[in-house]
DNA sequence: TCCCGATGCGTACATATGTACGCATCGCCT
DNA sequence: AGGCGATGCGTACATATGTACGCATCGGGA
């Protein structure tokens, strides 16, 4: 009787990738090792090198999964908005709501930023992520505004995760309104000079 | 004749800390080791454990130095502004100019974010950094605006460092003006509704 | 049904790493 | 002037890590 059964385990590969994200979230890239991920995914060490040529390859897959997942959620939330006002509210939600700017997601994003800064393929993943976000915003706002909003979401989310006393929802809504108000519309020439 | 002279080397400790930042910038926290920092600072390995109880202690000192340095520069640039218009221009500079949002600084910031997320003392360092930035902004803008501006600087800087085609200076100035325009002041009722 | 390639599993091994330690040497305080 | 504590320096060592490898086993296509 063998100490451990051989398992039939399709989608083991996917499970390893998810486990990698867990380990990164809990320990950081610096302490993410084959053995820790293997333990988290409940697979033997040998399985790591079988499914992934190198540790960096695994990290790349993990971060790509992160980008896809979070990006999809972002797009979904914005697609649910029918009017511009609803879109504005969606943006506020994305910043304030606990469902997107999760501590875990913020943490993973930081790790990704640091990692991608030195890794061209991952850099492209980040760029694609940004492009996707802006595309989602462009469904409701003009291109320039979309870019600005995207950056604002980024900045406010980060500060929210660090600041001891984060801004109130109302303040954030006010900011979003300021950034999305149509300058050419209501009062021509007002904001200029 | 000994292979290497014993050196008189005050401020060796400070040099090690600076070298640590160099290594982090070049290799990332994940690949920052005693030996690499020692080589970068041109000191023997034994010197590391003499000056720093642990590798984490060294990293903490390095990141604190980063925060102090960058924060001072930020404050300095803003203090140079005499009028609100000049302050606005300073903010634009901080985002666009190559002197603050250096690739190196951005990179180091990412590493810090990731590291601080799991390290309470460093977290406090980050909070102090943020507080300092906002205090500098409050010299020219009301508190709420200062917070928003700070977040906007963060977001735009990051996106600038990732985006293949970053926003033009004029666009950024327009954003800053939008965020800092006094709604109650110049053109009553203009920006509302 | 059969078999072969894909997948599972354990282990080995060279290397890099954090940290401790012992001794040498010199600046600085009295 | 003297000595002592701080600082410099080399090295040792246990451990963790990335990766390779060999064999076992099973599922699914021919």
């Amino acid at each position: 009787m063998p100490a451990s059964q051989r398992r039939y385990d399709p989608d083991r590969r996917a499970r390893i990738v998810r486990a990698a994200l867990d380990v990164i979230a809990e320990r950081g890239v610096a302490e993410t090792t084959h053995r820790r991920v293997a333990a988290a995914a409940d697979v033997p060490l040998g399985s790591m090198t079988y499914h992934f040529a190198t540790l960096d390859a695994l990290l790349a897959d993990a971060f790509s999964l992160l980008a896809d997942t979070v990006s999809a959620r972002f797009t979904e939330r914005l697609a649910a908005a029918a009017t511009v006002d609803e879109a504005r509210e969606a943006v506020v939600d994305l910043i304030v709501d606990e469902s997107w700017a999760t501590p875990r997601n913020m943490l993973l994003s930081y790790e990704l930023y640091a990692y991608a800064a030195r890794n061209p393929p991952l850099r492209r993943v980040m760029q694609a992520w940004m492009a996707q976000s802006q595309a989602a915003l462009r469904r409701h706002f003009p291109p320039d505004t979309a870019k600005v909003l995207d950056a604002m979401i980024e900045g406010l989310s980060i500060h929210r995760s660090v600041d001891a006393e984060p801004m109130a929802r109302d303040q954030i809504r006010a900011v979003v309104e300021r950034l999305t108000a149509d300058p050419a519309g209501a009062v021509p020439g007002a904001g200029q000079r």
Side-chain angles (χ1 to χ4, degrees), chain A:
Chain A
M1 181 183 179
S4 67
Q5 299 277 359
R6 174 199 171 93
R7 281 182 286 176
Y8 174 58
D9 198 11
D11 105 334
R12 166 176 292 199
R13 188 189 154 93
R15 185 152 39 90
I16 292 175
V17 175
R18 289 193 298 269
L21 275 187
D22 289 343
V23 173
I24 295 171
E26 194 149 342
R27 304 291 223 120
V29 168
E31 292 181 357
T32 296
T33 68
H34 276 138
R35 285 168 177 81
R36 266 196 259 268
V37 176
D42 188 35
V43 300
L45 177 59
S47 214
M48 293 290 126
T49 54
Y50 176 74
H51 286 287
F52 301 91
T54 173
L55 185 59
D56 278 302
L58 170 57
L59 292 178
D61 272 29
F63 280 128
S64 295
L65 172 64
L66 173 73
D68 289 348
T69 307
V70 177
S71 190
R73 206 177 178 100
F74 186 99
T75 301
E76 195 183 310
R77 180 69 191 84
L78 274 176
T83 69
V84 174
D85 276 330
E86 283 181 21
R88 280 194 261 258
E89 206 58 28
V91 170
V92 175
D93 279 346
L94 287 170
I95 296 169
V96 172
D97 203 24
E98 284 292 308
S99 70
W100 191 77
T102 313
R104 175 190 156 102
N105 280 348
M106 296 308 296
L107 222 123
L108 288 172
S109 299
Y110 299 153
E111 296 285 348
L112 170 56
Y113 295 164
Y115 189 79
R118 260 173 287 275
N119 190 300
L122 261 290
R123 194 177 181 76
R124 279 189 287 276
V125 168
M126 274 192 65
Q127 288 172 339
W129 180 358
M130 264 183 48
Q132 166 73 20
S133 300
Q134 291 177 17
L137 287 164
R138 261 185 264 119
R139 288 175 60 95
H140 304 285
F141 308 101
D144 285 357
T145 305
K147 274 205 173 193
V148 173
L149 273 182
D150 195 31
M152 188 84 246
I153 292 171
E154 180 85 52
L156 282 176
S157 297
I158 292 178
H159 278 224
R160 236 186 128 65
S161 80
V162 174
D163 202 332
E165 35 183 289
M167 294 175 56
R169 186 186 178 93
D170 287 348
Q171 289 180 278
I172 291 181
R173 180 167 24 230
V175 172
V176 172
E177 274 164 9
R178 239 171 215 259
L179 288 177
T180 57
D182 190 346
V187 184
Q192 309 300 71
R193 277 244 113 245

